[in-house]
Amino acid sequence: MNESARLSSVEGLDIPLQRDVFLRTLVRELAGTLQDVVGLEEASGFISVVGQRVGDEINGTYKAALQVENLSREQVADVLVDLKKRIQGSFYVIEENEERIVFGNKDCPFAEKVLGRPSMCMMTSNVFGVIAAENLGYARVDLEKTIAQGHGECRVVVHLGQSSEPTRGELTRREYFKV
C-alpha cells in the first residue's frame, strides 16, 4: 500500500480531534498534573501567573482598539463579557454598580475539560482581576460558583473597592492592584 492510500484510510476516521480540543485537553492535563504534583493551591498559583500575563495582553489589545488610556467601569464590564464570548464562553452581567460587577456564565471556554480542574478557573480570576485593577485601580475577584467545581454555571464577583473584610488566601478569592 502506498503512502497516499495509507494516509487516506486514516484521514477518513471519525475522530473528534482538532486544534481547539487538543489545546483544551493540553491545558486540562497540565492543570491536572500540577494539581496532582504540587497541590491545588500551588497549581492555582502557577496558572495565576499565566493568567496575569494573558490579562495584561488582552487589556492592552482592548485599550488600543478603543483608543483609550483607561477603560471605564462600563467598558471593563463590556470587555470582560466580550472577551469571554470571543473564546466561546457565555458570560453576562447580572449586576453592575460602583462597588462591584457580578457576572454569570453558562458555558466555560474550556467546555467539559474544566470539570475537576478548579485551578483552571484562575485564568478567569486573573484576566478579570488584572483588567479591572489596571483600569480602575483595584479588584478583588470572588469565584462564588464555578463549572469546574460541579456547579451548572459560574458566578464571578469583581469587587471594585477594598473592604475591611479580610481575604484569607482562599483559592476562590484573589486581590489585584494596579501596577
Side-chain angles (χ1 to χ4, degrees), residues 53-113:
R53 290 178 181 166
V54 171
D56 285 336
E57 185 173 327
I58 291 171
N59 184 45
T61 300
Y62 275 97
K63 289 192 317 188
L66 290 166
Q67 300 178 351
V68 295
E69 268 189 53
N70 284 303
L71 303 172
S72 67
R73 184 188 79 237
E74 294 82 6
Q75 287 173 316
V76 166
D78 292 346
V79 161
L80 298 180
V81 167
D82 182 69
L83 77 88
K84 287 296 189 171
K85 282 184 181 176
R86 289 176 187 264
I87 60 172
Q88 298 181 10
S90 60
F91 278 72
Y92 55 93
V93 174
I94 295 172
E95 173 188 339
E96 178 185 345
N97 58 49
E98 292 177 12
E99 296 174 6
R100 67 189 195 158
I101 308 168
V102 181
F103 297 92
N105 175 48
K106 301 266 187 212
D107 300 299
C108 180
F110 292 113
E112 76 287 352
K113 303 297 184 185

Side-chain angles (χ1 to χ4, degrees), residues 2 46-47 51 83 89-90 95 109 160 163 166 178:
N2 68 29
F46 284 115
I47 293 171
L83 77 88
S90 60
E95 173 188 339
L160 303 175
S163 72
K178 184 172 184 160

Side-chain angles (χ1 to χ4, degrees), residues 3-175:
E3 186 176 339
S4 177
R6 282 189 5 232
L7 188 56
S8 68
S9 69
V10 173
E11 287 176 337
L13 296 174
D14 184 23
I15 296 177
L17 183 61
Q18 70 280 122
R19 181 173 34 183
D20 177 63
V21 172
F22 174 78
L23 292 174
R24 286 186 294 117
T25 301
L26 175 69
V27 172
R28 173 184 171 73
E29 294 309 319
L30 283 170
T33 300
L34 280 171
Q35 285 178 205
D36 292 344
V37 172
V38 299
L40 180 57
E41 190 167 342
E42 291 296 321
S44 296
F46 284 115
I47 293 171
S48 291
V49 172
V50 175
Q52 177 162 357
R53 290 178 181 166
V54 171
D56 285 336
E57 185 173 327
I58 291 171
N59 184 45
T61 300
Y62 275 97
K63 289 192 317 188
L66 290 166
Q67 300 178 351
V68 295
E69 268 189 53
N70 284 303
L71 303 172
S72 67
R73 184 188 79 237
E74 294 82 6
Q75 287 173 316
V76 166
D78 292 346
V79 161
L80 298 180
V81 167
D82 182 69
L83 77 88
K84 287 296 189 171
K85 282 184 181 176
R86 289 176 187 264
I87 60 172
Q88 298 181 10
S90 60
F91 278 72
Y92 55 93
V93 174
I94 295 172
E95 173 188 339
E96 178 185 345
N97 58 49
E98 292 177 12
E99 296 174 6
R100 67 189 195 158
I101 308 168
V102 181
F103 297 92
N105 175 48
K106 301 266 187 212
D107 300 299
C108 180
F110 292 113
E112 76 287 352
K113 303 297 184 185
V114 79
L115 295 173
R117 299 291 193 268
S119 62
M120 291 169 67
C121 298
M122 289 300 102
M123 288 299 295
T124 295
S125 179
N126 277 270
V127 170
F128 279 29
V130 164
I131 291 173
E134 284 301 315
N135 291 285
L136 305 173
Y138 170 85
R140 186 182 85 223
V141 178
D142 291 339
L143 303 174
E144 292 184 351
K145 292 195 305 189
T146 67
I147 293 169
Q149 294 173 322
H151 299 107
E153 61 188 10
C154 298
R155 182 179 168 95
V156 178
V157 181
V158 179
H159 298 272
L160 303 175
Q162 291 179 289
S163 72
S164 58
E165 179 185 340
T167 56
R168 297 174 185 85
E170 299 171 23
L171 294 177
T172 59
R173 174 178 287 167
R174 300 266 172 150
E175 286 186 292

